[in-house]
Amino acid sequence: MSLDAKIPQGPLAEKWSKHKFNLKLVNPSNKRKYDVIVVGTGLAGASAAASLAELGYNVKSFCFQDSPRRAHSIAAQGGINAAKNYQNDGDSVYRLFYDTIKGGDYRAREGNVYRLAEVSVNIIDQCVAQGVPFAREYGGLLDNRSFGGSQVSRTFYARGQTGQQLLLGAYSALNRQIHLGKVKMYTRTEMLDVVVVDGHAKGIVTRNLKTGAIETHEGHAVLLATGGYGNVFYLSTNAIGSNVTAAWRAHKRGAYFANPCYTQIHPTCIPVTGDHQSKLTLMSESLRNDGRVWAPKTVETAQKLRNKEITASQVKEEDRDYFLERKYPSFGNLVPRDVASRNTKEISDEGKGVGTTGLAVYLDFAEAIERLGEDTVRAKYGNLFDMYLQITDENPYKQPMRIYPAVHYTMGGLWVDYNLSTTIPGLYAMGECNFSDHGANRLGASALMQGLSDGYFVIPYTLGDYLATIGPKKVDTSHPAFEQTKKDVIAYNNKLLALKGNKTVVEYHRELGHIIWEYCGMARTEEGLTKAKALIKALKADFWVNAIVTGEDEEVNAALERAGRVADFIELGELMITDALERRESCGGHFRLESQTEEGEALRDDDNFAFVSAWEFTGENQEEVLHKEELIFENVKLTQRSYK
């Protein structure tokens, strides 16, 4: 299959408006003849379901949580970008576009990214109309703050709870449609496969997590908004339930998976304390507006701090290395996440890390508290400081936070074209579930922007074009494809339940995470990746012999749910390593030690790797086939990124 991104022709600023005009429309009275399945109720899924129902479509919405509002979008903290230029500091749609392309290290499509920047201004208006309590300045205007990778203030925020407040806005819109009967909500229901009829997605197979029943649901189209796959690393900032199963099962039905090795490491997370942890906690990037990142200048001082012979406040100013400010004076502490993360790792690798493990640096607010006052800092970041205190029993008003990079977001995902369609007609992917807008590194505060852009302002147009093409003829669940896909799911579950070994699924997940973090994390080498691929193959073989899965299928069975998700993570992990091996360049957050500048910065290879990797599943235990979507840059010049 040849990859056609369907990027509209014409000037960049006119592509989306012209494309919308050329899309086919569904008559308002005909919309009620179409059924649309939306899987996931985060920002992308909830906004899409609410918008499509408002237009008149019949929507079936699915989530594995007990309420749509428990989707992981609720955990986002720092803010959402929009090119409003309220600060009058030089922002524009084009500057947001440029910052996003540059921040992604020139590995994203120009057309998609410009559209994202263009509709960002509408997102804020939509959310304000829903009552989202964005922070406001003294005069009543919406406030903005800065985020990494930008020299303007364009990030709208609601203290450190922006994701929660935005999700409540989308959730209220979704609830309205549920009340009107236009959305039928299925909670505690996990999608396990896509039903494909004559090459088109026509439904899904699910497991009722309350009863264990395997069920089928039909629709004229299936929209996936199921988030990212960061939990392949075992330890990440994602909720423990976040997984790749819906996207991965779709991949095995024919949807290409793009750039799987592109994962984002967030620089400001509470450090790992031991193997007892099941997840990590994010400290919002917004903290780098006022917090200064530093480490001791010498290994000797770091050793004293680790041994608790001295405290951070006892380290003299001249003995502190504010390494981000030193190396990147133009951006300072607000360099993009990949740059901050890589430099933090390098400092720790040199033996200058702090904390009991030595895998941490300081994020210090002493200067900000002295300059602004504790009350002002508390008003900006109080809930984040409280969260840090509860987790670490350390008061960040009195001593610096300890931070270290951790897996946070995934830029890879299902390949989609400009219309958000996967390579299976009728199957769409939105938000973090797709790959489309962030390249090799996501700028902070852009995840919420992409999710709401896809759900509120893109899919309502592009889906209509597909539905108008296929017509409203229904496909019933009595079709043989539904029964066969259901049998496939039951057989797979029974295969998992037959595992009666002596090693828990969690142990396999933790081992997988160690392998991928060690060899496919912030720094990678050809040798390490080759070793990792062999390790994961061996882990997969061992899983299917020695894992233990208890319980039965037709009942509540969390062990079975976890086993299916971990089995999918293992397969995805192998593809991540394969993709990383193929990409012999440093790019964004993906640092190949064989490819770096004289100054130790990431060195891209635009002649050989300016493409999207799109992988095709060819069968169980078979090597996947790589398809390349060449990236064409007509509006920005490919340059070596510099934040100095």
Side-chain angles (χ1 to χ4, degrees):
M1 176 188 291
S2 61
L3 291 175
D4 180 7
K6 298 180 180 176
I7 306 297
Q9 298 298 311
L12 187 65
E14 298 176 10
K15 288 183 185 293
W16 179 229
S17 57
K18 286 187 174 181
H19 187 65
K20 286 190 291 184
F21 179 76
N22 291 325
L23 291 171
K24 295 183 179 68
L25 299 175
V26 177
N27 183 304
S29 62
N30 285 338
K31 287 189 173 81
R32 57 179 172 269
K33 300 176 183 177
Y34 291 93
D35 298 322
V36 180
I37 290 172
V38 180
V39 185
T41 58
L43 288 181
S47 59
S51 299
L52 293 169
E54 183 74 35
L55 286 171
Y57 297 107
N58 305 307
V59 178
K60 301 174 184 177
S61 179
F62 296 82
C63 70
F64 61 72
Q65 297 92 347
D66 56 3
S67 166
R69 64 166 291 183
R70 289 177 65 86
H72 190 57
S73 297
I74 205 169
Q77 297 170 349
I80 176 171
N81 288 330
K84 286 285 198 181
N85 195 30
Y86 282 172
Q87 302 294 322
N88 199 28
D89 56 359
D91 200 11
S92 65
V93 168
Y94 189 86
R95 187 176 294 278
L96 176 53
F97 155 74
Y98 177 78
D99 286 347
T100 306
I101 287 284
K102 177 185 176 183
D105 220 352
Y106 305 95
R107 290 296 178 263
R109 292 187 194 131
E110 284 190 339
N112 283 70
V113 174
Y114 191 88
R115 176 176 65 187
L116 178 64
E118 183 181 352
V119 304
S120 69
V121 296
N122 299 329
I123 295 171
I124 303 304
D125 297 339
Q126 170 89 3
C127 295
V128 169
Q130 291 175 333
V132 172
F134 286 122
R136 293 180 180 269
E137 295 179 324
Y138 178 76
L141 297 176
L142 296 181
D143 195 12
N144 292 117
R145 57 189 178 197
S146 300
F147 256 62
S150 170
Q151 290 179 306
V152 298
S153 295
R154 63 162 69 100
T155 304
F156 296 78
Y157 64 99
R159 296 191 74 187
Q161 307 168 352
T162 314
Q164 177 176 352
Q165 299 304 326
L166 291 172
L167 185 61
L168 288 173
Y171 173 64
S172 64
L174 176 63
N175 264 350
R176 178 172 180 271
Q177 298 303 323
I178 294 172
H179 176 72
L180 293 173
K182 294 302 293 181
V183 173
K184 185 173 183 181
M185 190 69 232
Y186 297 84
T187 59
R188 300 292 293 144
T189 305
E190 182 170 24
M191 173 189 148
L192 295 180
D193 216 334
V194 178
V195 179
V196 179
V197 178
D198 298 329
H200 289 244
K202 292 297 182 184
I204 60 174
V205 178
T206 63
R207 185 171 187 272
N208 185 319
L209 301 184
K210 294 177 289 187
T211 67
I214 304 299
E215 300 163 341
T216 56
H217 306 271
E218 79 284 356
H220 290 91
V222 177
L223 280 54
L224 300 185
T226 51
Y229 50 87
N231 277 348
V232 68
F233 288 85
Y234 185 69
L235 286 180
S236 81
T237 65
N238 290 191
I240 293 175
S242 298
N243 63 82
V244 76
T245 289
W248 189 251
R249 304 288 173 90
H251 171 56
K252 295 175 79 168
R253 287 291 175 187
Y256 290 3
F257 209 102
N259 296 336
C261 81
Y262 282 171
T263 58
Q264 178 167 82
I265 314 295
H266 197 294
T268 51
C269 298
I270 297 178
V272 175
T273 57
D275 284 342
H276 63 280
Q277 284 178 275
S278 57
K279 77 176 298 293
L280 299 175
T281 303
L282 169 72
M283 289 283 98
S284 169
E285 181 177 329
S286 64
L287 294 170
R288 287 195 279 144
N289 273 287
D290 292 304
R292 301 179 70 192
V293 179
W294 66 273
K297 284 186 176 179
T298 66
V299 174
E300 291 75 20
T301 303
Q303 188 65 52
K304 289 180 180 179
L305 287 163
R306 290 195 291 271
N307 293 339
K308 299 184 179 179
E309 297 173 21
I310 59 174
T311 63
S313 60
Q314 292 175 312
V315 180
K316 296 178 181 179
E317 193 70 17
E318 59 267 25
D319 295 328
R320 301 180 179 191
D321 180 12
Y322 295 92
F323 54 93
L324 294 180
E325 298 173 32
R326 169 174 56 82
K327 295 181 68 174
Y328 308 98
S330 293
F331 283 75
N333 294 300
L334 287 174
V335 292
R337 292 174 177 178
D338 62 314
V339 177
S341 295
R342 188 165 62 249
N343 279 272
T344 297
K345 180 181 185 297
E346 288 173 1
I347 287 289
S348 298
D349 289 347
E350 291 170 5
K352 299 174 185 176
V354 298
T356 55
T357 64
L359 298 177
V361 296
Y362 290 124
L363 182 62
D364 197 336
F365 288 85
E367 188 272 338
I369 290 173
E370 182 179 347
R371 173 169 48 89
L372 302 171
E374 185 173 317
D375 289 344
T376 300
V377 172
R378 190 181 302 275
K380 282 185 172 183
Y381 311 115
N383 64 306
L384 297 171
F385 278 42
D386 291 344
M387 184 167 66
Y388 184 87
L389 173 63
Q390 290 172 23
I391 292 173
T392 66
D393 198 28
E394 297 173 7
N395 186 346
Y397 294 103
K398 304 300 181 184
Q399 62 190 97
M401 290 183 180
R402 289 174 297 105
I403 59 167
Y404 194 73
V407 173
H408 178 55
Y409 187 90
T410 53
M411 286 79 69
L414 293 177
W415 184 91
V416 293
D417 63 17
Y418 191 71
N419 294 327
L420 304 184
S421 172
T422 70
T423 48
I424 301 176
L427 179 68
Y428 292 78
M430 306 176 295
E432 192 180 357
C433 181
N434 73 33
F435 88 98
S436 64
D437 293 351
H438 305 298
N441 174 58
R442 178 176 69 79
L443 288 184
S446 288
L448 306 183
M449 178 173 63
Q450 188 211 344
L452 292 178
S453 166
D454 288 353
Y456 281 137
F457 299 110
V458 178
I459 201 67
Y461 286 96
T462 60
L463 179 64
D465 181 72
Y466 171 75
L467 296 177
T469 302
I470 64 168
K473 181 181 178 182
K474 286 188 177 294
V475 174
D476 194 85
T477 54
S478 61
H479 190 284
F482 281 84
E483 188 60 32
Q484 183 57 53
T485 309
K486 182 177 179 179
K487 287 180 179 178
D488 294 343
V489 167
I490 292 172
Y492 188 76
N493 285 353
N494 287 336
K495 183 180 177 182
L496 289 167
L497 288 166
L499 294 173
K500 302 301 178 186
N502 53 17
K503 194 171 175 181
T504 68
V505 168
V506 174
E507 290 178 88
Y508 283 102
H509 195 179
R510 186 183 290 112
E511 284 184 35
L512 174 69
H514 280 312
I515 294 169
I516 299 181
W517 176 252
E518 179 69 24
Y519 300 108
C520 197
M522 284 184 282
R524 307 165 181 188
T525 65
E526 189 91 11
E527 180 184 4
L529 290 166
T530 302
K531 179 180 178 180
K533 188 161 185 176
L535 288 172
I536 293 179
K537 282 183 177 292
L539 186 72
K540 179 181 178 181
D542 191 71
F543 175 90
W544 288 107
V545 174
N546 293 317
I548 180 170
V549 182
T550 57
E552 302 295 333
D553 192 5
E554 297 289 328
E555 64 181 20
V556 174
N557 191 342
L560 175 60
E561 297 162 27
R562 188 73 178 262
R565 295 168 187 174
V566 171
D568 292 335
F569 275 139
I570 292 173
E571 293 181 357
L572 167 67
E574 187 175 354
L575 182 60
M576 289 173 66
I577 301 297
T578 301
D579 188 46
L581 271 168
E582 176 69 28
R583 193 165 287 278
R584 294 176 175 84
E585 65 166 350
S586 291
C587 186
H590 314 94
F591 196 69
R592 285 292 287 264
L593 295 182
E594 304 94 335
S595 181
Q596 55 183 299
T597 67
E598 291 181 359
E599 296 177 317
E601 300 291 342
L603 180 62
R604 291 196 323 272
D605 180 355
D606 295 327
D607 291 337
N608 296 303
F609 295 100
F611 62 80
V612 174
S613 302
W615 295 92
E616 178 186 6
F617 181 78
T618 57
E620 297 291 344
N621 299 312
Q622 302 294 314
E623 288 292 326
E624 301 217 3
V625 174
L626 173 62
H627 301 266
K628 298 178 181 180
E629 179 200 332
E630 300 297 331
L631 292 169
I632 300 171
F633 295 92
E634 301 173 327
N635 299 275
V636 297
K637 182 181 179 181
L638 290 172
T639 59
Q640 193 63 36
R641 275 199 313 168
S642 174
Y643 293 93
K644 294 185 181 296

